[in-house]
Amino acid sequence: MSDGTPLDVLVIGGGVTGAGIALDAATRGLRVGIVEAQDWASGTSSRSSKLVHGGLRYLQMLDFTLVHEALTERDLLLTEIAPHLVRPVPFLYPLEHRFWQRFYVGSGVGLYDALASLSSRRRAMPFHKHISRKELERVFPDLRHDAAIGAIQYWDASVDDARLVVTLVRTAAEYGALAASRTQVVELTKTADRVDGAVLVDAETGARHTVRADQVINATGVWTEETEGLAAEEGGLHVLASKGIHIVVPRERIRGEKGLILQTEKSVLFVIPWSRYWVIGTTDTPWTQELRHPVATNTDIEYVLEHANAVLAEPLTKDDIVGTWAGLRPLLQPGTKEGTSSAKVSREHTVASVAPGLTAIAGGKLTTYRVMAKDAVDFALGDRAQSLPSITDHIPLAGAVGLQAVRRKSRAFAEKYGWTKAMVDHLLHRYGSQLTQIVASVEAQPDLARPLEHAPAYLRAEIAFAATHELVLHLEDVLVHRTRLEYEVPDAGVGALDEILDIIAPILGWDSSRRETERRSYLDRRAATEAAAQTATDEEGEHARLQAGDIAPMISLAEPS
């Protein structure tokens, strides 16, 4: 990662917060490195509800400032930072009571719209509107007729969270950041009680490297306390893990044109339209098992089905589910550990000084990753931040610049290569203006223009692009984080494995033995995940999931102090 020249900032953690920090620091002109122990976005940042939203629930807490901040970030992503990756989604809030609830919810959503309008920028979303029962039956036929007397329609947005992270890392690299996945921090180095770098282990080779840095920023989410423990200090942030799961069902299984937001006794349940399927979730339960492999158990799946079926005219069954995923939210606990010298706190996230030279950030949500990154870098730089202010509110991510021009060319691409309108839309959504790079690869190798035989939603060119441009090191990186095949098709992409391997093996220099190792590792992972989904408890689910080893295991660190 380093040529021996000390870094200004070393970021630990390759989720959305860490990737955002790397981009923020790099665009300030700093020498930046970012490391991730597994694949990019392999933790929380690939297992969210995939929503970019203001957070309606915070209006109930009267936290108008926080909602305005999140809505501002939502609209920035939609219009300037990542218009190809982030897309508007209409949601219906079903109403059960004709008068008071329509007034109460309508006032809240109206305030939501008003807070989104408090900006010098043009509105990115339409205003909300009231929906009658008759109109509701038209736009969402599969909502039970007795479940609502009407609805309020409002707008938020969705994003492929893992692609957002990879795009952030790639953009940071374009501005000079040094990035290394499958690279674990096993020790923090010190000089005169000040953290001044880290010892890194390359999970691919076992090689150890020492990197010096003026500032180290810990952005490891649910691993925050474990990373803090490497500093051998008493200070830091308290973070607990909460599990949320989602299920995926085919789009044709539920007749509806818009998403749903439903209140449950434990959390909010979303029914989210996404491409060829629906995403339904989430849960919110404490997780006390190991952090690397949260799983969706049978109990979790039944909970989501029960609450979705409470409003659906045609109840879903487990046979309808084509995939699931489980993720851990890093829940920031009130206060900081004894010995923490200073902290910057918002309702959603906290930045704290763990030790001289070591900053930690935890909490927050995907939508406000840019604000979190700005706060973390400002805090780490101290007085220097005034002369090096953040500019990421004006930095488009890779694929955003020139999007409109490439969109106009896309019809010609479709005609030339026989791509459907849906395929072109899919490509623009994933790559934006970098679709021209996909086209260039097809020009050089025409067979890449074809869809995968057993996963036709993706082109062969996309698989090659993942290996050549998107920092892939393993087969599972392609199936889990560069595409969504692990959970968006019933066989989790198994039928496409050989074709995918045929494409990426020559690019990555894999021989037949390595191909088989990668293939077997993914098949074992899938079998263990399916076994976990049959269990009743987290303990049983963890036991089932751990029957499959990791292709590049993390080193077990000492328990946090």
Side-chain angles (χ1 to χ4, degrees), residues 500-511:
I500 291 172
L501 284 166
D502 286 343
I503 296 168
I504 67 174
I507 296 170
L508 299 176
W510 293 352
D511 59 17

Side-chain angles (χ1 to χ4, degrees), residues 231-545:
E233 298 283 344
E234 295 299 320
L237 302 176
H238 286 292
V239 175
L240 296 180
S242 172
K243 185 179 74 169
I245 78 112
H246 295 77
I247 65 172
V248 177
V249 301
R251 189 67 179 269
E252 62 270 17
R253 184 58 185 79
I254 301 174
R255 293 177 300 154
E257 300 174 9
K258 308 173 190 298
L260 297 177
I261 178 173
L262 309 168
Q263 293 279 354
T264 73
E265 70 277 11
K266 295 181 181 179
S267 63
V268 173
L269 191 79
F270 288 100
V271 181
I272 307 166
W274 185 290
S275 185
R276 304 167 307 283
Y277 44 86
W278 297 87
V279 171
I280 307 175
T282 183
T283 57
D284 188 0
T285 55
W287 178 261
T288 57
Q289 312 307 307
E290 59 89 36
L291 299 174
R292 179 73 185 94
H293 301 297
V295 291
T297 65
N298 183 60
T299 302
D300 297 324
I301 293 168
E302 287 186 341
Y303 172 87
V304 172
L305 285 175
E306 176 187 353
H307 285 82
N309 286 338
V311 300
L312 293 177
E314 298 291 334
L316 300 169
T317 71
K318 291 177 185 174
D319 290 339
D320 295 312
I321 298 174
V322 296
T324 66
W325 73 81
L328 300 179
R329 302 180 190 88
L331 298 183
L332 185 62
Q333 300 305 291
T336 55
K337 294 179 182 177
E338 185 178 352
T340 303
S341 61
S342 56
K344 179 175 181 178
V345 182
S346 82
R347 185 180 183 90
E348 277 279 275
H349 66 270
T350 295
V351 188
S353 174
V354 180
L358 177 61
T359 296
I361 182 167
K365 62 181 181 179
L366 182 146
T367 305
T368 54
Y369 80 85
R370 195 196 64 81
V371 175
M372 295 172 65
K374 173 184 178 298
D375 287 349
V377 178
D378 281 349
F379 190 89
L381 293 181
D383 292 340
R384 293 179 62 199
Q386 294 183 5
S387 60
L388 291 172
S390 175
I391 59 171
T392 50
D393 57 336
H394 298 296
I395 300 293
L397 301 189
V401 176
L403 176 61
Q404 292 301 326
V406 173
R407 184 171 281 142
R408 290 181 175 184
K409 293 181 180 179
S410 63
R411 178 178 295 181
F413 296 152
E415 292 176 354
K416 183 173 183 179
Y417 301 113
W419 296 337
T420 64
K421 181 179 179 181
M423 175 58 76
V424 171
D425 182 69
H426 159 92
L427 293 170
L428 286 168
H429 188 18
R430 285 168 57 77
Y431 304 100
S433 60
Q434 292 193 332
L435 173 57
T436 56
Q437 296 183 33
I438 297 289
V439 171
S441 70
V442 168
E443 288 290 321
Q445 186 178 336
D447 72 293
L448 294 180
R450 299 199 312 264
L452 292 171
E453 182 179 357
H454 297 290
Y458 294 94
L459 295 181
R460 290 167 56 86
E462 296 182 77
I463 306 305
F465 190 81
T468 57
H469 289 73
E470 294 184 338
L471 313 171
V472 160
L473 295 178
H474 293 284
L475 175 63
E476 69 176 38
D477 301 347
V478 176
L479 283 111
V480 182
H481 301 132
R482 305 308 183 276
T483 70
R484 299 183 293 268
L485 286 172
E486 184 188 42
Y487 56 75
E488 69 177 358
V489 291
D491 73 346
V494 170
L497 287 188
D498 288 337
E499 187 175 7
I500 291 172
L501 284 166
D502 286 343
I503 296 168
I504 67 174
I507 296 170
L508 299 176
W510 293 352
D511 59 17
S512 58
S513 175
R514 176 65 182 273
R515 279 180 55 129
E516 183 55 30
T517 297
E518 295 282 340
R519 188 175 189 277
R520 176 47 53 192
S521 176
Y522 184 74
L523 292 175
D524 289 348
R525 173 193 176 112
R526 185 202 180 206
T529 301
E530 288 184 333
Q534 306 304 314
T535 63
T537 68
D538 285 340
E539 292 81 2
E540 293 170 345
E542 176 190 48
H543 178 75
R545 177 61 183 85

